[in-house]
Amino acid sequence: INKYIQTPKVPLFPKPKLVTFDAYNTLYATKKPVLNTYVEQYNQSVCSSSNDIISPLTLSIMNDHFIKIFKKHMEVHPNYGKYTNITPTEWWVLLIKDIFSDINKVLTNFQAMVILKPFEGEVYDTFPDIRSLLKVLKGRSKIGICSNTDPMFYKIVNHMKRKYGDEFVLPEKDYEFLSYYLDKKKDSTGDFFNIIYDRIKHKMGKDEIWHIGDEFKNDLVGSTTAGWVGICIDRGNVYGYFDTKDGDKSVSNETVTMEKINKSAELVYKEGKECNEVVLLQNGGLVVRNLYVIE
């Protein structure tokens, strides 16, 4: 990439008119691993006696079984319950009950709601580099969201806004695209991004839109396939592009999911903050380990 840095008259990409972000693990992440927070909430707020307290050993079992339970729940109630006539909140309540049922802890709906409540904002934090990049983009580019998520997203980003004020720039309403409402998920085909572009194509060209997300196939491959500039923020070098030329093609969706739920926002940020390298792929996408290099 040095040849582009040395010849500033030949920009690598046009300056973006719109930059969209993935939500979880890009705009924000949990302060502690997800299941640790579930267990803490149970131990502190739900259990009625010391005999009910969940041990570290049981937490390990929950981690081992989480992917299987999550996938089954998504199959039974796809798109966060939209097609089975339950609300996203009810969807999460049922998932939490299933996770605890797997370790023989039967929760009421109210108890599951107690565990879920902090996930409306309190347990999340954002990253210093994302706040810095958002401030730089404000006034220079439109800011949007492209995410496979549900409407709880709005409660989380509003919590970040209350916490950080002007340091956290909210996405613009005209450029908020959630899979829940589009009835289409991000994947490597680019269909999600093509649907979005059909709605906004009168405002800008495809190469004037950048998308930043942490999932290689869903975010980088999906957006570049649709003609956008795709950027994968791989803080922990999960995909291996900072070790090998071709990266690690064997990384599964399950591995990516477990990476997300088993790390804290602070740990994820520290993993990549000192790496200033940029990997330019043949498909025109970029892989970075922090967002300071994008800034």
Side-chain angles (χ1 to χ4, degrees):
I1 203 168
N2 281 333
K3 66 179 181 180
Y4 293 101
I5 296 174
Q6 293 162 9
T7 55
K9 293 182 180 179
V10 186
L12 187 57
F13 306 113
K15 289 185 178 180
K17 289 186 177 179
L18 169 65
V19 179
T20 66
F21 293 88
D22 178 43
Y24 189 74
N25 223 37
T26 302
L27 278 183
Y28 51 77
T30 51
K31 297 175 186 176
K32 298 178 181 179
V34 171
L35 293 177
N36 291 59
T37 306
Y38 282 0
V39 168
E40 282 186 9
Q41 282 296 108
Y42 178 88
N43 288 342
Q44 294 172 7
S45 306
V46 175
C47 68
S48 57
S49 71
S50 59
N51 293 332
D52 289 333
I53 290 177
I54 295 175
S55 68
L57 178 61
T58 310
L59 176 58
S60 176
I61 295 172
M62 294 170 76
N63 269 292
D64 290 342
H65 294 181
F66 175 82
I67 289 292
K68 177 188 69 177
I69 295 170
F70 186 88
K71 287 177 68 174
K72 181 180 178 181
H73 191 60
M74 189 63 88
E75 289 170 2
V76 175
H77 300 288
N79 200 11
Y80 298 96
K82 185 175 181 180
Y83 310 133
T84 51
N85 296 318
I86 61 173
T87 67
T89 297
E90 291 169 332
W91 189 92
W92 285 107
V93 164
L94 288 174
L95 175 63
I96 290 171
K97 291 176 71 173
D98 285 347
I99 291 169
F100 280 84
S101 176
D102 187 57
I103 56 167
N104 299 315
K105 303 291 184 183
V106 179
L107 301 183
T108 65
N109 287 346
F110 177 79
Q111 290 171 329
M113 274 296 302
V114 170
I115 293 170
L116 176 64
K117 186 65 177 176
F119 285 83
E120 295 180 353
E122 181 184 332
V123 304
Y124 291 97
D125 204 353
T126 186
F127 307 101
D129 59 344
I130 191 72
R131 298 197 302 272
S132 182
L133 179 59
L134 288 171
K135 286 195 294 182
V136 167
L137 288 173
K138 187 177 181 180
R140 293 181 171 92
S141 171
K142 301 293 185 182
I143 298 172
I145 183 76
C146 290
S147 182
N148 288 342
T149 193
D150 68 290
M152 194 180 292
F153 160 81
Y154 295 108
K155 294 182 178 180
I156 298 168
V157 292
N158 286 331
H159 173 81
M160 295 303 162
K161 185 65 177 178
R162 290 191 297 271
K163 181 175 181 178
Y164 289 105
D166 292 339
E167 284 190 42
F168 188 82
V169 181
L170 291 173
E172 299 180 36
K173 294 295 183 183
D174 290 344
Y175 300 103
E176 292 176 346
F177 303 105
L178 306 186
S179 61
Y180 183 82
Y181 296 114
L182 262 64
D183 293 316
K184 183 68 180 177
K185 295 185 69 173
K186 284 185 300 181
D187 58 24
S188 60
T189 66
D191 291 346
F192 179 96
F193 297 96
N194 284 326
I195 291 171
I196 292 169
Y197 188 70
D198 284 343
R199 300 185 181 191
I200 62 174
K201 60 186 177 183
H202 61 287
K203 299 180 181 180
M204 61 197 76
K206 288 185 175 182
D207 62 348
E208 295 176 305
I209 311 174
W210 295 13
H211 174 69
I212 301 173
D214 69 300
E215 295 190 9
F216 186 81
K217 291 179 182 178
N218 291 346
D219 291 306
L220 187 148
V221 177
S223 58
T224 55
T225 299
W228 298 20
V229 175
I231 300 170
C232 180
I233 169 70
D234 185 9
R235 299 181 186 275
N237 194 25
V238 174
Y239 296 103
Y241 280 97
F242 295 89
D243 294 329
T244 63
K245 177 182 176 182
D246 296 321
D248 184 355
K249 307 298 185 187
S250 66
V251 178
S252 65
N253 290 334
E254 288 78 8
T255 298
V256 173
T257 299
M258 293 310 292
E259 278 283 318
K260 289 186 180 190
I261 71 165
N262 280 329
K263 291 183 178 178
S264 66
E266 182 180 13
L267 174 60
V268 171
Y269 170 70
K270 286 181 177 179
E271 284 183 325
K273 74 171 185 176
E274 302 297 336
C275 180
N276 295 322
E277 295 177 23
V278 178
V279 177
L280 172 63
L281 304 179
Q282 288 183 333
N283 66 3
L286 296 176
V287 187
V288 299
R289 295 192 62 183
N290 65 68
L291 294 176
Y292 295 123
V293 296
I294 299 300
E295 182 181 325

